[in-house]
Amino acid sequence: QVRLMESGGGSVQAGGSLRLSCAAFGFTYTYGVYCMGWFRQAPGKAREGVAVLRSGDDKTYYADSVKGRFTISRDNAKNTLYLQMNSLKPEDTAMYYCAADRSLTTWSKCGLSADFGHWGQGTQVTVSS
């Protein structure tokens, strides 16, 4: 029943900004345990974790390549996860996916390499120089 819907991708010049949104259906951010985040995959490259958020203590995890430029956040009232991307670089070009999991096991191991049971369809981000 959990469904994730990404939006906000597009084409932008290097140095620009985009905000990705992931609307979650089937659970609420207000209560319970969850691990939720953003991943990306460029053509010919492996999928990599970008930013992850854990419920309870709102602990965040960021890939070294995006630290200081990207910020993950949530809006509990809207059940929406965000990824604010600033100072975008051409190497940020990729398909970005939202992922979530509500199991206690995944929550306890929440991070960039955690196992996520639910995935969105992806939204394309293209950064030109």
Side-chain angles (χ1 to χ4, degrees), residues 46-70:
R47 186 184 66 192
E48 64 174 340
V50 176
V52 171
L53 175 69
R54 186 174 76 171
S55 69
D57 56 5
D58 282 348
K59 184 174 177 62
T60 57
Y61 310 81
Y62 292 97
D64 289 340
S65 60
V66 307
K67 287 181 179 178
R69 300 188 298 119
F70 291 10

Side-chain angles (χ1 to χ4, degrees), residues 3-4 23 33 48 53 58 61 74 83 87 93 95 123 128:
R3 186 170 64 173
L4 308 175
V33 298
E48 64 174 340
L53 175 69
D58 282 348
Y61 310 81
R74 67 178 182 180
L83 183 67
S87 301
T93 296
M95 183 72 73
T123 184
S128 59

Side-chain angles (χ1 to χ4, degrees), residues 60-127:
T60 57
Y61 310 81
Y62 292 97
D64 289 340
S65 60
V66 307
K67 287 181 179 178
R69 300 188 298 119
F70 291 10
T71 303
I72 187 171
S73 62
R74 67 178 182 180
D75 185 326
N76 290 342
K78 296 181 179 180
N79 266 12
T80 300
L81 188 76
Y82 300 100
L83 183 67
Q84 179 65 47
M85 305 185 294
N86 298 325
S87 301
L88 283 163
K89 305 175 180 180
E91 49 263 46
D92 295 318
T93 296
M95 183 72 73
Y96 283 71
Y97 299 91
C98 178
D101 200 278
R102 299 170 65 189
S103 72
L104 183 60
T105 298
T106 301
W107 182 87
S108 67
K109 301 290 185 180
C110 191
L112 298 174
S113 60
D115 294 326
F116 294 88
H118 306 283
W119 293 83
Q121 82 289 343
T123 184
Q124 178 68 38
V125 172
T126 302
V127 184

Side-chain angles (χ1 to χ4, degrees), residues 18-39:
L18 286 173
R19 189 178 74 164
L20 305 184
S21 300
C22 176
F25 302 86
F27 75 97
T28 178
Y29 291 172
T30 306
Y31 304 106
V33 298
Y34 62 83
C35 179
M36 195 167 182
W38 294 93
F39 294 76

